[in-house]
Amino acid sequence: MNTSPSAAGVVAVPDSDLDHVASCDLPTPWATFRLHAFVEPSTGKEHVALTLGDVADGKPVLSRIHSECLTGDGLFSLRCDCGPQLEAALRSIAEEGRGALFYLRQEGRGIGLVNKIRAYQLQDAGADTVEANEQLGFKADQRNYRLCLPMLRHLGISTLRLMTNNPRKIAAMEQIGIQISERVPLIISRNPHNERYLTTKAVKLGHLF
């Protein structure tokens, strides 16, 4: 098995769960990132990573593992903190001049967009974010962070300075062999629409605010 860095500074990963398809430049308001596209062969689902600077130099990489949230990331919903966290993470990486953001297509903590909207309907009727998922027959969090492993290997990253408030995410990454050298808090301002959501994440899911 050849896992030595290639001329492009990445690591070949045979028999991975994701296939790297293409990379390109992505200009943003904060920096011009390198955008890497990956596809799950078994499902056709697409995931991306954004990198800035030399992330394959062996040093811990400032990183964010961000699960897709169309309502927060693309439609500016105030019900969650996802959109502001995504923007804050990209800004922090740009300020540091080096880092990586992994954007996983796991909408609604893994239950999908339509089911997330169903969960929102239950929340409108009084359920909290955990209760709503469970009433629909799902676990509170169904995300699969193993998707990060072939992406990290492809990019030559082994140690993260992870921007997260979620200790379960850290435990999941360590369980698959990714070293977390530091947890970097990513605190977003509360508003009347996300107050209960953030409180539930702290009380029931152990998030650190």
Side-chain angles (χ1 to χ4, degrees):
M1 181 182 297
N2 177 20
T3 57
S4 59
S6 70
V10 299
V11 175
V13 185
D15 304 321
S16 67
D17 296 324
L18 295 180
D19 291 335
H20 175 256
V21 178
S23 299
C24 68
D25 288 340
L26 183 71
T28 74
W30 309 284
T32 296
F33 292 86
R34 192 71 176 162
L35 179 65
H36 310 271
F38 298 84
V39 175
E40 291 183 62
S42 59
T43 65
K45 187 170 285 189
E46 301 159 336
H47 309 274
V48 298
L50 290 85
T51 59
L52 184 65
D54 183 2
V55 296
D57 60 2
K59 299 176 182 178
V61 177
L62 181 65
S63 302
R64 167 75 178 162
I65 298 169
H66 191 91
S67 296
E68 179 183 33
C69 178
L70 174 64
T71 49
D73 299 340
L75 300 178
F76 314 107
S77 170
L78 296 176
R79 297 184 72 135
C80 64
D81 56 348
C82 301
Q85 282 192 326
L86 177 62
E87 181 175 333
L90 290 173
R91 184 186 298 111
S92 294
I93 291 170
E95 290 173 353
E96 183 143 321
R98 177 178 175 273
L101 184 138
F102 301 89
Y103 196 89
L104 307 181
R105 307 296 297 279
Q106 302 190 112
E107 183 78 48
R109 297 199 201 103
I111 69 174
L113 177 59
V114 171
N115 282 323
K116 184 173 82 169
I117 294 172
R118 290 190 177 111
Y120 278 171
Q121 180 174 272
L122 292 172
Q123 290 172 43
D124 289 345
D128 65 35
T129 180
V130 170
E131 293 166 347
N133 278 26
E134 292 175 343
Q135 287 177 27
L136 291 172
F138 300 107
K139 296 178 181 178
D141 192 338
Q142 300 204 160
R143 288 174 289 185
N144 174 20
Y145 293 113
R146 293 192 66 85
L147 292 168
C148 296
L149 190 55
M151 302 170 82
L152 288 161
R153 286 177 174 167
H154 178 81
L155 297 169
I157 300 172
S158 60
T159 306
L160 305 180
R161 296 172 52 227
L162 189 60
M163 289 184 279
T164 185
N165 305 319
N166 184 359
R168 295 185 183 189
K169 186 181 293 185
I170 294 174
M173 296 305 294
E174 292 177 336
Q175 188 175 15
I176 63 174
I178 301 302
Q179 182 178 349
I180 308 298
S181 66
E182 178 186 2
R183 183 184 77 85
V184 180
L186 198 57
I187 306 301
I188 302 302
S189 297
R190 295 178 178 240
N191 66 65
H193 303 284
N194 70 18
E195 178 68 37
R196 188 184 183 202
Y197 167 81
L198 295 177
T199 298
T200 300
K201 286 210 298 186
V203 173
K204 292 191 174 182
L205 299 176
H207 287 225
L208 306 172
F209 295 112

